[in-house]
Amino acid sequence: MTHEAGAPVAEPIRARIGAAEFDIHLGAGLLNTLGELWAPLAAGSKVLLVSDTNLAAHAARAAGALERAGLAVIPATVAPGETSKTLAEVERLSRLAAAAGLRRADAVVALGGGVVGDLAGFVAASYQRGVRLVHVPTTLLAMVDSAIGGKTGVDIPEGKNYVGAIWQPEMVVMDMETLRTLPARELSCGFAEVIKYGLLDGTPLFERVEAWPELPGPGDELAELIRLCIEHKLRVVAADERDLGIRASLNLGHTVGHGIEAAAGYDRYRHGEAISLGLLAALRIAERECGLDPAWRERTRTVIARHHLPVTLDPAVPTDAIVAAMGRDKKASAGGLNMVGVGAPGDVRLGVNPDPGDVVAAIEELRQ
Amino acid sequence: MTHEAGAPVAEPIRARIGAAEFDIHLGAGLLNTLGELWAPLAAGSKVLLVSDTNLAAHAARAAGALERAGLAVIPATVAPGETSKTLAEVERLSRLAAAAGLRRADAVVALGGGVVGDLAGFVAASYQRGVRLVHVPTTLLAMVDSAIGGKTGVDIPEGKNYVGAIWQPEMVVMDMETLRTLPARELSCGFAEVIKYGLLDGTPLFERVEAWPELPGPGDELAELIRLCIEHKLRVVAADERDLGIRASLNLGHTVGHGIEAAAGYDRYRHGEAISLGLLAALRIAERECGLDPAWRERTRTVIARHHLPVTLDPAVPTDAIVAAMGRDKKASAGGLNMVGVGAPGDVRLGVNPDPGDVVAAIEELRQ
C-alpha cells in the first residue's frame, strides 16, 4: 500500500521476519493508546518498562496507558547513553524483573532510543530464555533503524554489541510526538540513517530524502518518510534475519563510521555523525570499486550538510587508529573489511574489499 | 534404527530441531577425533575451548585434537560448580574471546558437565549475537540431559537459569571414556535423569532402567542406554523447541526437585539427588491426580536406592521453604504449579495442579 505525501499514516505496517509476525504502529499520540494496541497481552500480565532518566514524561504516559489496560507495570530506568549497555545492567534489570515476579508469559517494553532498545531488548531475549518484547522507539534513529530487525545487545570493552541476541518484538509503537521533544542534534543523527536508506533503496527515495527541508519538516510527511525507511529495512531483514548475507547492506557507511566512533571515543561523534562521514568515505571507495558516479557523493554531501551533520573529519582523530578499529569490526573477516558499496542508488554491492591505500585515501579526503 | 544390547554404538544420532540439524556422536575415545569429526569448520578457525579446572586432562586431549585439525584453540577454564554460572563469567569469557579475535564464523566448544555446557552455551548464543557451538558433555547428566535440546543460561540470585537462550549446537561429541573418571556420586546423579526417561518413555525403557546393575555397568550397554534417553529427549524437543508445550514433560520430578535444591541450598543436594526425591514426590501426587498405580513408585524407589540416590528427605529442610521455592519456579504460572505427572510409564500428563495440601503431604512422605 502506498500513501501520498501528507496523508495520515493510520494502517500499521505488518512485519514478517522468520516465524515472527507483528505490527508496527506509527502515528501521533500513540503512547496514550499503548495498552489498547496491545490486545494479545492478558490483563494482569506484568510489564518491565525500561526507559532512561531523560524520558520520565514519556515513561509516565506509557505506564499510565498500560495500567489502564490492566497490566502491572514494573518501572525501570537506566542512565542515558552507551555506558548503560553492559552485562551488569542486564543483570540489574533481570533481577528487578525476577524480584517483581516477571514470568515467561510476561513482557518487557523498551521505551527510548537505541541504547534502551538494545539493552532492554537483550533483557527480553535472555530473561528466562526469552519473554515478549515491545519496542517504543522515541528517536528518529531508533524508529528507522535500531527498533527494526531484532538486533539487541550490550557492549564489552573490546567492542560494541559484542554480546547480544536476535530477538523480534511482538509489537512496535512509534509515537511521532516523541520526536517533538528530541534535541535537534539527535534528530539530525537519525537523518543520517535516512540518507543511507535513500542510497540503498534507489533514486526515488534518495531524491525524496534529498528534497527534505531542515528537520523536522512537515509531520505527516516525516511519518511517511519513516515508513519508507522501515519498509526497506523489513524487506532486507526478512530475507536475512541472522545477518549472513544481504542484511550486511544496511552496514553502508558503518565500516568507516564504526572505525571513526571507536578511534574518536564515543563522546566525540554520535553514531549518526560518524555514519555521515562513513557514508561519504564509502561512496568515495565505491567510485573506484563499483563505478559510482562522483555526482552522487556530491549530492549526498549537500544533504548531510543541510542537516548539520559533519562532512569533514576532526584532524585530531588519527587515520591509523580508524583503520585499526575497522579491522576489529564484527563484519570484517580474515579475508577483508567486507564493506558495502553502491554502483548507484539502489544498486547495492556486498563484499567490497578495497586496497588498504584506498581506504586511507578515502579517510584522508574527509579532512578536506 | 535399533541396537541390540551390547552392540557397538557407531552411527551418530541425527538431531533435527527447528532449522538446526546436527550429529550426536557417542563412543569410546572420541575426544581424540574431535577435529576430524568437525569437518564443517575451516582450518584456521578459532575455537574458544571452555572447560573447568577439574577437566585439565580431557581439555588437553580435546585441544590437541582440534589443533591437529588446524584449528586455533583459545583455552578457557572456569571454577567447577554452579557458582560459575554468572553473567560476570559470561563477560569474562566473551572478553577473552574478543581479545583473541574470535569472529562470527568461529566457534565455542563446551567441554564438561551441565555447568560448563550452560555457561559456554550461553556465551556461544550471545557472543556477537551467536557463534557456532559444539557440546562435549563429560558427565552422564550432561550426556542424557543438559547437552541435548539447546537450553543455555546462567543464574541470578533470584533463580537458576534465569538469564539464557535456546541455542542449538552444530555437533555433540560424547566420549564414553570421560565417564570412567567421573566420581561415583556424579554418575549416580546422571542416573536420576535416566530413571526419569524410563517413566516418561514407557514400560520397556523403564524396565531396562530398572534392571540396570550398579553403575557404570557394561560400557556398550551404557552407551545404548544413553542413546535411548537422548532419542526420547530429541523427539520431545523437536516437537517443542521453545518449551511452550510438551517439552515441559521433561520437568517430571523437577518442580519439587528444584524446590528442594533451592530450600536446602545448592551444596546440600546435587541436582540428580534432588530430582530423585522430586520424582518420588511427583509419583505420589500422580497417584491422586493421574490414577498412577502405587507399585510404580515402589519400583522407582527401589531403583533410586540401588544407585545410592536419596529416597528420604533431610529433616533440616523445611517443607514450607520447599513449597515457597516451588512457587518461584520458571514453569509455575499464576494458575498453579504446572507439574508433570504420569498415569503409567509413558502416559504423560501436563498441567497437573494438585491442592497445596497434597503437595505438602507428598513432601512430608519423603521424610519417612
Side-chain angles (χ1 to χ4, degrees):
Chain A
M1 118 200 48
T2 53
H3 286 264
E4 295 192 343
V9 179
E11 285 282 309
I13 305 167
R14 187 72 179 161
R16 290 183 185 80
I17 301 173
E21 278 198 43
F22 56 93
D23 284 332
I24 302 170
H25 301 272
L26 179 61
L30 294 186
L31 265 191
N32 296 316
T33 66
L34 198 52
E36 298 144 53
L37 288 172
W38 203 358
L41 203 64
S45 294
K46 289 177 179 166
V47 174
L48 180 73
L49 174 62
V50 183
S51 63
D52 76 37
T53 48
N54 286 340
L55 298 170
H58 296 328
R61 286 168 63 206
L66 294 167
E67 282 165 354
R68 284 195 302 278
L71 305 175
V73 174
I74 308 160
T77 52
V78 302
E82 192 75 23
T83 51
S84 284
K85 284 176 57 179
T86 62
L87 281 168
E89 280 294 279
V90 171
E91 177 145 27
R92 186 179 69 83
L93 294 172
S94 299
R95 294 191 59 183
L96 190 64
L102 195 87
R103 293 181 184 279
R104 291 174 64 198
D106 295 326
V108 172
V109 172
L111 182 145
V115 166
V116 167
D118 287 356
L119 169 63
F122 186 50
V123 170
S126 57
Y127 182 78
Q128 296 198 4
R129 301 196 187 95
V131 297
R132 293 158 167 217
L133 169 65
V134 171
H135 276 301
V136 185
T138 61
T139 66
L140 182 56
L141 183 77
M143 289 181 183
V144 297
D145 189 19
S146 60
I148 305 297
K151 285 195 178 176
T152 72
V154 297
D155 306 333
I156 55 177
E158 288 72 15
K160 283 182 74 174
N161 299 317
Y162 255 51
V163 178
I166 305 274
W167 193 251
Q168 300 299 339
E170 75 172 42
M171 183 170 75
V172 183
V173 178
M174 304 185 182
D175 185 341
M176 294 295 292
E177 287 183 7
T178 61
L179 297 183
R180 290 193 192 206
T181 51
L182 201 65
R185 188 177 175 190
E186 288 286 350
L187 210 50
S188 289
C189 278
F191 209 79
E193 299 284 353
V194 173
I195 297 168
K196 179 193 78 174
Y197 287 113
L199 290 164
L200 292 173
D201 200 66
T203 304
L205 184 55
F206 182 84
E207 293 189 338
R208 187 165 187 154
V209 171
E210 190 177 34
W212 200 263
E214 269 205 61
L215 287 163
D220 280 350
E221 283 185 48
L222 183 58
E224 178 60 17
L225 188 63
I226 291 169
R227 170 190 286 265
L228 292 169
C229 294
I230 291 170
E231 287 176 344
H232 179 94
K233 181 156 186 180
L234 284 175
R235 281 195 299 276
V236 171
V237 172
D240 177 27
E241 183 182 14
R242 290 219 58 87
D243 199 6
L244 304 170
I246 187 64
R247 185 163 182 171
S249 66
L250 301 171
N251 218 37
L252 179 68
H254 285 59
T255 311
V256 174
H258 285 160
I260 291 172
E261 277 184 293
Y266 289 95
D267 42 359
R268 170 65 185 86
Y269 288 111
R270 291 182 185 238
H271 181 68
E273 292 165 349
I275 293 322
S276 298
L277 292 165
L279 284 172
L280 293 174
L283 296 183
R284 175 71 191 83
I285 289 164
E287 288 163 19
R288 189 173 189 110
E289 299 286 324
C290 316
L292 177 71
D293 181 337
W296 291 111
R297 180 157 56 105
E298 224 19 78
R299 290 168 70 172
T300 302
R301 189 182 163 100
T302 303
V303 188
I304 288 174
R306 179 184 312 138
H307 293 284
H308 310 293
L309 292 160
V311 292
T312 56
L313 175 61
D314 184 343
V317 187
T319 298
D320 55 356
I322 297 171
V323 171
M326 288 167 64
R328 293 192 299 270
D329 197 272
K330 291 205 298 300
K331 291 285 193 312
S333 71
L337 291 171
N338 279 322
M339 293 180 68
V340 185
V342 285
D347 174 16
V348 176
R349 317 280 177 88
L350 299 182
V352 174
N353 287 309
D355 289 338
D358 292 338
V359 175
V360 168
I363 294 169
E364 288 299 327
E365 203 164 325
L366 295 172
R367 304 195 191 270
Q368 294 158 14
Chain B
M1 118 200 49
T2 53
H3 288 263
E4 295 193 341
V9 179
E11 284 282 307
I13 305 168
R14 187 72 180 161
R16 289 183 186 80
I17 302 173
E21 279 198 41
F22 56 93
D23 284 331
I24 301 170
H25 300 271
L26 179 60
L30 294 187
L31 264 192
N32 296 317
T33 66
L34 198 51
E36 299 144 53
L37 288 171
W38 203 359
L41 203 64
S45 294
K46 289 176 180 167
V47 174
L48 181 73
L49 173 63
V50 184
S51 63
D52 76 36
T53 49
N54 285 341
L55 298 170
H58 295 328
R61 284 169 65 208
L66 294 168
E67 282 166 354
R68 283 195 302 279
L71 305 175
V73 174
I74 307 160
T77 52
V78 302
E82 191 75 23
T83 52
S84 285
K85 284 176 58 179
T86 62
L87 281 169
E89 280 295 278
V90 171
E91 178 146 25
R92 186 178 69 83
L93 294 172
S94 299
R95 293 191 61 183
L96 190 64
L102 195 87
R103 293 182 184 278
R104 292 173 64 198
D106 295 326
V108 172
V109 171
L111 182 145
V115 167
V116 167
D118 287 356
L119 169 63
F122 186 50
V123 170
S126 57
Y127 181 78
Q128 297 197 2
R129 301 198 187 94
V131 297
R132 294 159 166 215
L133 171 65
V134 170
H135 277 300
V136 185
T138 60
T139 68
L140 181 57
L141 182 77
M143 288 180 183
V144 297
D145 189 18
S146 59
I148 305 296
K151 285 194 178 176
T152 72
V154 297
D155 306 334
I156 54 177
E158 288 73 15
K160 283 181 74 172
N161 300 318
Y162 255 52
V163 178
I166 307 272
W167 193 251
Q168 299 299 340
E170 74 172 45
M171 183 171 76
V172 183
V173 178
M174 305 185 180
D175 185 342
M176 295 295 292
E177 288 184 6
T178 62
L179 298 183
R180 290 193 191 203
T181 51
L182 201 65
R185 188 177 175 192
E186 288 287 347
L187 211 50
S188 290
C189 278
F191 209 79
E193 299 284 352
V194 172
I195 297 167
K196 179 192 79 175
Y197 287 113
L199 290 163
L200 292 173
D201 199 67
T203 303
L205 183 57
F206 182 85
E207 292 189 337
R208 187 166 187 154
V209 171
E210 190 176 34
W212 200 263
E214 269 204 62
L215 285 164
D220 280 350
E221 282 185 49
L222 184 57
E224 179 60 16
L225 188 63
I226 291 169
R227 169 190 287 267
L228 292 168
C229 294
I230 291 169
E231 287 176 345
H232 179 95
K233 181 157 185 179
L234 284 175
R235 281 194 299 276
V236 171
V237 172
D240 177 27
E241 183 181 14
R242 290 219 58 88
D243 200 6
L244 304 169
I246 187 64
R247 185 164 181 168
S249 67
L250 301 171
N251 218 38
L252 179 69
H254 285 59
T255 311
V256 174
H258 285 160
I260 290 172
E261 278 185 291
Y266 289 95
D267 42 0
R268 170 67 185 86
Y269 288 111
R270 289 181 188 241
H271 181 69
E273 292 165 351
I275 292 324
S276 298
L277 293 164
L279 283 172
L280 293 173
L283 296 182
R284 175 71 191 83
I285 289 164
E287 287 163 20
R288 190 172 189 111
E289 299 286 324
C290 316
L292 177 72
D293 181 336
W296 291 111
R297 181 157 56 107
E298 226 17 81
R299 290 168 70 173
T300 302
R301 188 184 164 98
T302 302
V303 188
I304 288 174
R306 180 185 312 138
H307 293 283
H308 312 292
L309 291 161
V311 292
T312 57
L313 176 62
D314 184 343
V317 187
T319 298
D320 54 358
I322 297 171
V323 171
M326 288 167 65
R328 292 192 299 270
D329 196 273
K330 290 203 298 300
K331 291 287 195 308
S333 71
L337 291 172
N338 280 321
M339 293 180 67
V340 185
V342 285
D347 173 16
V348 176
R349 316 282 178 89
L350 299 182
V352 174
N353 286 309
D355 289 337
D358 292 338
V359 175
V360 168
I363 294 168
E364 288 300 328
E365 205 165 321
L366 294 173
R367 304 195 191 270
Q368 293 158 15

